Amino acid sequence: HKNSYVFYRYPLTLVRGIPLMEPIANQWDPIENFQARPDDLIISTYPKAGTTWMQEIVDLVLNKGDLEKAHRAPIYVRIPFLEICSPPPMPSGVDKLVNAPSPRVIKTHLPYQLVPKSFWENNCKMIYVARNAKDNLVSYYFFDQMNLTQPDPGTWEEYLTKFMEGKVAWGSWYDHVRRYWDEKDNHRILYVFYEDMKKDLAHEIHRVKDFLQVDLSEDIVQKIVHKATFEIMKENPMANYETVPSSLFDKSKSSFMRKGTVGDWKNYFTVAQREVFDAHYQQKMKGTSLHFQEE
Ligand code: A3P
């Protein structure tokens, strides 16, 4: 049963060419056929782009800065993760969402083409958060060390190659960020950058609240800014994932709220690695108007 449940590092299985954790691939039908409601809001990201940060902000905005309400449950309970699956009998993300009251806020890491069609048919709003490739990669490398359900990242050098080849859970970063960028004007998608949030969080919170059509005074916006700073979220048990058991997240390896900065990649990339990465990046990102700040 639940308490004695043992997790393990699931292998990745391809779903329409995208590597996903095996339990997700094995229970793909209910995800693909998920029934959206018109008032669903989706927060979509490539893993480690700032999902939790945006989840906390959205929850605070929808609750008009009511801090007590934001403390009602851990972030992964407040905003369920659509495609997450453990082997049965653990409830899946879909199990949690089907009976959830409206309006639902839903997290996903699925690339655009794997998002259940029903969301687009219902014209649902989506907030997409993107983070520069190098910081995103570094964050994922440390997360895969501590997250005991994802494949072992291997050495830094090995991980670098896997990331560039898109052979990590949820696939290619390059394809993920580009495709949502290309689609953002075809749907109600608000595209947000992690680096912009670091630079001027109040401004990005204004974009979010305007997109969600929530009226907030400047005082409340400032209250949300404060509550969503890295330092405060790191200490907040309802946001920092410390409620997840150590059989799932090994906190001796890394912490979920690890560093929360722009440019941390410089502490890990050698000059040679940077050159190879940047040359490959130019190819992968050729022809797009999507540009990132990385320092
Ligand atoms: P680092 O590993 O670089 O520290 P996700 O929620 O998508 O898994 O992303 C996690 C990353 O977002 C981690 O990056 C984490 O520290 C960072 N993060 C979470 N909350 C943040 C905040 N309030 N401000 C800045 N970064 C934050």
Side-chain angles (χ1 to χ4, degrees), residues 35-36 52 86 88 114 120 138 152 172 180 213 228 230 248 250:
Q35 274 309 300
T52 315
S86 304
L114 292 188
W120 308 126
V138 168
D152 190 296
S172 162
Y180 278 102
Q213 293 163 295
F230 182 74
L248 192 60
D250 180 353

Side-chain angles (χ1 to χ4, degrees), residues 45-55 107 109 131 135 138-140 142-143 194 198 201 227-231 233-234 239 241 254-261 264:
T45 57
Y46 189 79
K48 313 317 290 177
T51 327
T52 315
W53 195 6
M54 184 54 78
Q55 284 176 277
K107 159 185 165 181
H109 290 320
R131 185 178 192 183
D135 282 327
V138 168
S139 184
Y140 211 172
F142 284 100
F143 183 63
Y194 180 100
K198 280 302 288 189
L201 188 51
K227 191 68 184 165
T229 56
F230 182 74
E231 291 68 26
M233 279 184 65
K234 191 178 170 66
Y241 278 84
S254 184
S255 69
F256 195 93
M257 296 289 165
R258 193 184 59 89
K259 240 180 198 171
T261 58
D264 185 42

Side-chain angles (χ1 to χ4, degrees), residues 197 200-207 218 221-222 225:
M197 291 167 73
D200 189 348
L201 188 51
H203 184 260
E204 298 311 301
I205 291 173
H206 273 279
R207 288 183 70 212
E218 194 51 39
V221 170
Q222 287 308 323
V225 167

Side-chain angles (χ1 to χ4, degrees), residues 133 164-165 172-175 177-178 274-291:
M164 289 164 67
E165 293 175 345
S172 162
W173 174 92
Y174 312 88
D175 295 349
V177 297
R178 283 190 72 153
R274 181 190 179 170
E275 277 169 12
V276 171
F277 190 92
D278 285 351
H280 174 259
Y281 186 97
Q282 294 310 321
Q283 280 177 13
K284 297 295 285 184
M285 300 299 275
K286 201 178 257 165
T288 181
S289 55
L290 173 59
H291 296 293

Side-chain angles (χ1 to χ4, degrees), residues 111-231:
Y112 176 84
Q113 69 275 19
L114 292 188
V115 170
K117 292 277 170 296
S118 181
F119 285 116
W120 308 126
E121 288 161 2
N122 280 282
N123 196 25
C124 297
K125 285 187 188 176
M126 173 185 276
I127 299 176
Y128 185 80
V129 185
R131 185 178 192 183
N132 80 79
K134 295 196 194 87
D135 282 327
N136 203 138
L137 182 163
V138 168
S139 184
Y140 211 172
Y141 172 64
F142 284 100
F143 183 63
D144 277 354
Q145 294 182 34
M146 66 97 92
N147 180 345
L148 303 178
T149 67
Q150 294 210 158
D152 190 296
T155 65
W156 163 247
E157 183 79 38
E158 286 165 350
Y159 193 78
L160 201 55
T161 307
K162 276 198 274 191
F163 182 94
M164 289 164 67
E165 293 175 345
K167 292 183 177 158
V168 293
W170 286 280
S172 162
W173 174 92
Y174 312 88
D175 295 349
H176 208 284
V177 297
R178 283 190 72 153
R179 185 70 194 275
Y180 278 102
W181 180 254
D182 290 345
E183 297 287 349
K184 73 178 179 348
D185 299 327
N186 300 329
H187 304 281
R188 298 201 288 173
I189 299 177
L190 180 72
Y191 203 102
V192 178
F193 293 95
Y194 180 100
E195 294 75 20
D196 287 343
M197 291 167 73
K198 280 302 288 189
K199 242 184 209 154
D200 189 348
L201 188 51
H203 184 260
E204 298 311 301
I205 291 173
H206 273 279
R207 288 183 70 212
V208 167
K209 80 154 179 52
D210 292 347
F211 181 67
L212 300 180
Q213 293 163 295
V214 176
D215 262 338
L216 297 178
S217 67
E218 194 51 39
D219 275 2
I220 300 215
V221 170
Q222 287 308 323
K223 195 172 159 188
I224 296 173
V225 167
H226 177 72
K227 191 68 184 165
T229 56
F230 182 74
E231 291 68 26

